[in-house]
Amino acid sequence: MNYTYILRCSDGTYYCGWTNDIENRLKTHNAGRGSKYTKVRLPVELVYYEEFETKEEAMSREWHIKKLSRAQKEELIKSK
């Protein structure tokens, strides 16, 4: 399974991405390592995720989520 997710950092900012191992992604991020693309190294919580069969579907959804404004991301989180 592949996942598109949104994390909320402890400073209130959002970070989205995709992975095939969401538990490991959260663990490494909260341990201070994060992904090489993450500039923020603050503790995070998972606030939204979707499951997809293929990596391409998850990556496509991630791209669409990244284009959303902060208000649109908050609305997406509330609707889940």
Side-chain angles (χ1 to χ4, degrees):
M1 219 20 97
N2 294 282
Y3 302 91
T4 297
Y5 59 87
I6 300 176
L7 304 175
R8 182 176 24 233
C9 297
S10 60
D11 67 354
T13 60
Y14 293 106
Y15 171 74
C16 69
W18 75 273
T19 185
N20 59 3
D21 185 357
I22 202 161
E23 290 180 20
N24 188 47
R25 178 65 56 97
L26 284 170
K27 194 183 308 180
T28 57
H29 187 95
N30 282 328
R33 294 187 295 275
S35 76
K36 64 183 179 180
Y37 304 109
T38 309
K39 295 177 183 163
V40 179
R41 297 289 194 254
L42 301 170
V44 296
E45 65 176 321
L46 180 66
V47 293
Y48 175 86
Y49 75 94
E50 287 182 70
E51 295 180 6
F52 296 95
E53 289 293 321
T54 66
K55 176 175 90 171
E56 290 77 16
E57 290 173 317
M59 291 172 71
S60 174
R61 183 66 173 146
E62 174 200 11
W63 183 83
H64 288 287
I65 291 174
K66 284 185 176 182
K67 299 292 181 190
L68 298 176
S69 68
R70 180 183 177 92
Q72 290 171 318
K73 286 178 186 172
E74 289 173 356
E75 189 63 35
L76 179 65
I77 291 165
K78 287 178 187 175
S79 70
K80 186 77 171 171

